[in-house]
Amino acid sequence: MTDSSVIDDEQDVPAEAPAQHADMPDTPDLPDAPDTLQAPDVPEALNAHVAKWSGFLADCGSLAGQINPYQHAGRLTRINGLVMEASGLKLPLGSGCRIMVPGGNSCEAEVVGFNGEKLFMMPTDDVVGLAPGAQVIPLETTPPRPTTTERLEPRRRASDRAKHLPVGDALLGRVVDGAGRPLDGLGPVVTRHSRSVASRAVNPLLREPIRRTMDVGIRSINSLLTVGRGQRVGLFAGSGVGKSVLLGMMARFTSAEVVVVGLIGERGREVKEFIEQILGAAGLARSVVVAAPADTSPLMRLQGAAYATTVAEWFRDQGRHVLLIMDSLTRYAMAQREIALAIGEPPVTRGYPPSVFARLPQLVERAGNGPEGGGSITAFYTVLAEGDDQQDPIADSARAILDGHFVLTRQLADGGHYPAIDIEQSVSRAMHGLVKPSHFDLVRQFKSLWSRYQRARDLIAVGAYAPGSDPQLDLAVNMFPVLETFLQQRMDEREGYEDAVMKLHQLFGATP
């Protein structure tokens, strides 16, 4: 037998199992191994952590992909009044630009029109030092920094490419200009949130109806001209009749959680007086003041009004009830008129071009209620009536797009009647859906007596009125001192909604 046969014989012999020791227990039968291996359970906290950081890295990658490796630039070719012309750039309307000034300084501008290859721009800063051929560099909208707490929303709309300005709780108690820069000397505004100043209005079918009253702390308004949350009201008045004092009383006494004040086109002295004397420290603590005085460019005045509305929209989206006060809507329209006439738009009504009347509803419609169960913006816009003319085109247009108008007359102000609200000419269009029928009947009775006395005022003054000839007029004459006292209120006196309605019922001996 060869060696190979020996090896084959040894391989054919099965190996004997080792003998089990007598003292060793029997080995239990092991279960068969599974066909596939199962991954260990991953805690939900770990999955959330991975998802959070995956989203953060995705946002970082998205922002990195938006970086433009080239910087385009144009040249300044002409300055004609307020309008600057540039060539070499193709930018959409509303885009921001920076014009370089020799010496390292710069001037910011915004595209307001174009003609062929030429861009028409309007400056937001001083144009001193600009020279022909100055470099014009487009300003890119700065995206927010990615965080692990919330995902970045994609910016696909045209408004998303417009200028973004800071918003957030850090603005409470601050005074800023139309570009979000602080004016109060308290340091920079530190907030991570920003929002486009050209945002769109809420879908009208998604708005919550005006169902709840808004307490503004003014007796005559709370009782006779009741305002609801989300209502937009105009204060129509000439100069020097106390509208700024009335706005300050609303800002201090309102039940709203946040107050946003837009001082557009006012004198610089009035801005300081309104903040320190009328608004006060207590009112400023829960307020945001956006000031674009009369000495700023018309573009900055437009941007200031839009920025104040943008800040109010952000607080509304957080579920808060906001009171927006804008003084004044007329200065906003005048700023748009300056820009439109400068770029060649023809005037149509008292020097106002058509774009003015298109801009007004775009601004006003952004205020109001949000979706059901959310926040609200109750807005008061002052409208200057030149020479106390209530048929001014801006006043007439504003009266048509607002939810009510309160008229302040010089006759009442000259007689020491404050607030100088003319009850006869003032209307709150949402009042009938806010108050009880008994309350509304008392309002009609109050206005009837007040109007009856005003029509017979001249007869009473010359002694031609004979008591007993008209019982309704007799009642109006007897109650007029009480009615007049009811309408007057000191600037440091607050009258809540419930108290005002109670006093109205007591005036006529009715039960609430």
Side-chain angles (χ1 to χ4, degrees):
M1 182 178 298
T2 61
D3 295 339
S4 60
S5 62
V6 174
I7 295 175
D8 292 340
D9 294 340
E10 292 177 355
Q11 290 179 348
D12 293 339
V13 178
E16 295 182 1
Q20 186 172 2
H21 196 274
D23 298 334
M24 182 180 297
D26 296 338
T27 304
D29 295 335
L30 297 176
D32 296 336
D35 297 335
T36 59
L37 296 177
Q38 297 181 355
D41 294 336
V42 180
E44 295 183 1
L46 182 59
N47 288 334
H49 180 76
V50 172
K52 179 176 65 176
W53 280 98
S54 298
F56 173 75
L57 295 176
D59 290 338
C60 293
S62 176
L63 292 179
Q66 298 174 12
I67 297 177
N68 190 356
Y70 301 100
Q71 184 183 63
H72 301 278
R75 294 293 175 180
L76 185 66
T77 59
R78 184 186 180 194
I79 296 181
N80 184 13
L82 297 175
V83 180
M84 300 183 294
E85 295 183 9
S87 61
L89 287 174
K90 293 183 179 180
L91 299 175
L93 291 177
S95 300
C97 298
R98 176 177 286 112
I99 305 174
M100 305 308 297
V101 180
N105 296 326
S106 63
C107 168
E108 289 193 11
E110 182 176 315
V111 178
V112 295
F114 58 85
N115 183 11
E117 300 296 329
K118 295 180 180 180
L119 290 181
F120 298 147
M121 302 179 298
M122 190 75 67
T124 59
D125 300 327
D126 195 358
V127 297
V128 175
L130 293 181
Q135 191 179 35
V136 181
I137 302 174
L139 289 178
E140 299 292 339
T141 303
T142 303
R145 297 180 60 182
T147 63
T148 58
T149 56
E150 55 182 320
R151 294 296 305 275
L152 296 181
E153 297 182 359
R155 295 182 174 181
R156 303 188 183 96
R157 302 190 182 99
S159 60
D160 293 336
R161 295 190 294 271
K163 181 177 293 186
H164 283 61
L165 295 179
V167 294
D169 290 327
L171 288 171
L172 292 175
R174 302 300 302 271
V175 182
V176 296
D177 66 358
R181 296 170 297 202
L183 297 175
D184 48 13
L186 300 179
V189 178
V190 181
T191 175
R192 65 172 305 272
H193 299 285
S194 64
R195 190 168 180 142
S196 171
V197 296
S199 60
R200 300 185 299 176
V202 179
N203 188 333
L205 298 182
L206 299 179
R207 286 186 186 271
E208 181 181 2
I210 302 176
R211 299 193 185 100
R212 300 177 180 85
T213 59
M214 166 67 76
D215 186 358
V216 296
I218 312 297
R219 183 187 306 116
S220 56
I221 297 178
N222 283 341
S223 59
L224 303 175
L225 302 167
T226 307
V227 176
R229 285 181 180 173
Q231 190 171 347
R232 298 157 299 190
V233 183
L235 292 179
F236 294 74
S239 58
V241 296
K243 63 179 182 301
S244 296
V245 176
L246 181 60
L247 294 177
M249 294 173 65
M250 291 182 184
R252 295 195 310 271
F253 300 150
T254 181
S255 60
E257 302 172 63
V258 178
V259 180
V260 180
V261 181
L263 302 177
I264 311 301
E266 297 297 324
R267 296 186 294 271
R269 177 185 59 82
E270 290 185 341
V271 172
K272 184 177 180 63
E273 288 182 356
F274 182 88
I275 295 172
E276 295 183 354
Q277 301 179 14
I278 299 178
L279 186 60
L284 182 61
R286 58 170 177 167
S287 303
V288 180
V289 180
V290 180
D295 60 341
T296 59
S297 66
L299 190 62
M300 186 59 69
R301 277 173 266 156
L302 285 182
Q303 184 173 300
Y307 182 36
T309 307
T310 300
V311 174
E313 287 175 326
W314 186 87
F315 283 110
R316 178 187 63 188
D317 293 345
Q318 308 305 311
R320 305 188 195 182
H321 301 293
V322 184
L323 175 64
L324 173 62
I325 297 175
M326 189 167 296
D327 187 14
S328 70
L329 194 64
T330 305
R331 306 295 187 197
Y332 174 84
M334 289 181 176
Q336 175 60 26
R337 178 176 64 178
E338 291 182 44
I339 296 175
L341 294 178
I343 61 177
E345 189 176 348
V348 289
T349 306
R350 293 196 185 181
Y352 288 99
S355 62
V356 172
F357 303 100
R359 279 264 194 172
L360 291 178
Q362 291 176 0
L363 179 70
V364 170
E365 284 297 325
R366 292 171 59 181
N369 282 331
E372 194 79 27
S376 64
I377 300 177
T378 307
F380 284 87
Y381 301 92
T382 65
V383 180
L384 300 178
E386 298 180 1
D388 296 333
D389 180 15
Q390 299 298 326
Q391 303 305 318
D392 179 81
I394 299 301
D396 194 48
S397 177
R399 191 181 296 108
I401 62 178
L402 294 171
D403 302 324
H405 52 275
F406 301 163
V407 180
L408 279 66
T409 60
R410 192 172 306 277
Q411 180 181 0
L412 291 175
D414 292 342
H417 186 289
Y418 290 102
I421 301 176
D422 191 338
I423 297 299
E424 292 182 273
Q425 302 185 54
S426 302
V427 174
S428 175
R429 296 183 180 179
M431 182 177 179
H432 63 279
L434 297 172
V435 301
K436 300 178 181 179
S438 59
H439 181 185
F440 198 73
D441 291 340
L442 292 180
V443 173
R444 295 175 57 187
Q445 186 177 355
F446 188 105
K447 287 189 173 184
S448 177
L449 293 176
W450 181 270
S451 179
R452 182 65 64 91
Y453 181 87
Q454 295 297 334
R455 291 198 300 267
R457 193 182 191 101
D458 294 338
L459 296 177
I460 299 173
V462 299
Y465 161 69
S469 58
D470 187 347
Q472 189 71 11
L473 181 57
D474 294 341
L475 179 61
V477 172
N478 294 331
M479 292 194 64
F480 181 76
V482 182
L483 302 180
E484 188 175 30
T485 303
F486 181 84
L487 294 176
Q488 297 182 16
Q489 185 174 341
R490 299 192 314 271
M491 65 175 296
D492 59 346
E493 177 186 0
R494 184 187 188 280
E495 189 77 50
Y497 174 75
E498 300 295 339
D499 295 336
V501 174
M502 179 68 69
K503 288 186 178 181
L504 179 63
H505 283 79
Q506 293 175 354
L507 197 65
F508 294 97
T511 302

